[in-house]
């Protein structure tokens, strides 16, 4: 899966998606935090970051892929809905990016994606009321 576009972007809608200057994380959304166990979920190390909603848009606040890639996994089970994208680096090694706690998934398995076309959106107010407002973020992770 050779790719010519090697530019990387933040997966959220900001005026400069290549700057970390205005990125905000949730209070427990930092990488490497030990998460306490809760019903149905054991204690675990937080292996990504939880990006706050960047705008007050509760209708369609888009989530973008971080770079050109191919969708290799989809999960559509409510608050744990997830897209995993495989990216090929210039040296032909692969990385995978994970986007979780999303809604309105707009891509299909094996689809090629581009960082300027949304793959999903943040949950809207009805979905947050149903699943819990603790999901008002996007979990973003890069795996090697």
């Amino acid at each position: 899966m050779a790719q010519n576009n090697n530019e990387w972007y933040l997966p959220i809608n900001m005026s400069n998606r290549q700057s970390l200057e205005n990125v905000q994380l949730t209070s427990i959304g930092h990488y490497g935090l030990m998460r306490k166990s809760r019903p149905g979920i054991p204690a675990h190390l937080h292996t990504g970051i939880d990006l706050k909603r960047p705008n007050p848009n509760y209708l369609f606040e888009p989530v973008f892929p971080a770079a050109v890639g191919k969708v290799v996994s989809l999960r559509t089970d409510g608050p744990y809905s997830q897209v995993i994208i495989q990216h090929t680096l210039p040296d032909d090694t692969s990385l995978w990016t994970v986007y979780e706690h999303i809604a309105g998934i707009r891509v299909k398995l094996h689809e090629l994606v581009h960082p300027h076309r949304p793959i999903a959106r943040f949950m809207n107010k009805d979905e947050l009321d149903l699943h819990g407002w603790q999901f008002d973020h996007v979990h973003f992770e890069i795996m090697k």
Side-chain angles (χ1 to χ4, degrees):
M1 178 181 62
Q3 299 165 0
N4 295 327
N5 187 340
N6 295 311
E7 292 186 0
W8 286 76
Y9 298 85
L10 290 167
I12 56 177
N13 191 24
M14 302 185 75
S15 60
N16 182 351
R17 291 184 45 225
Q18 292 184 307
S19 170
L20 297 174
E21 184 177 344
N22 294 314
V23 172
Q24 293 183 22
L25 304 182
T26 66
S27 62
I28 60 168
H30 295 267
Y31 174 81
L33 292 178
M34 181 53 94
R35 294 277 180 89
K36 295 178 182 176
S37 63
R38 51 194 190 275
I41 301 174
H44 63 280
L45 184 69
H46 191 240
T47 56
I49 58 173
D50 292 344
L51 299 164
K52 283 186 177 182
R53 180 182 302 267
N55 300 293
N57 176 0
Y58 282 88
L59 296 176
F60 186 86
E61 183 62 43
V63 174
F64 300 92
V68 170
K70 182 178 180 181
V71 176
V72 295
S73 179
L74 290 174
R75 182 175 161 182
T76 58
D77 53 342
Y80 300 101
S81 293
Q82 174 188 89
V83 173
I84 300 177
I85 298 172
Q86 180 178 354
H87 308 275
T88 303
L89 300 177
D91 66 0
D92 286 330
T93 60
S94 292
L95 292 177
W96 294 264
T97 53
V98 179
Y99 312 79
E100 189 170 27
H101 311 312
I102 56 176
I105 294 174
R106 303 173 74 166
V107 293
K108 295 182 174 141
L109 197 58
H110 308 297
E111 184 176 336
L112 294 177
V113 295
H114 188 277
H116 300 298
R117 290 191 300 265
I119 57 171
R121 62 174 168 75
F122 279 74
M123 287 188 213
N124 63 33
K125 287 183 179 184
D126 290 340
E127 292 157 338
L128 291 168
D129 285 342
L130 177 65
H131 300 298
W133 280 76
Q134 73 271 20
F135 294 111
D136 193 13
H137 66 269
V138 168
H139 173 88
F140 177 65
E141 185 169 344
I142 299 174
M143 302 184 301
K144 184 175 177 184

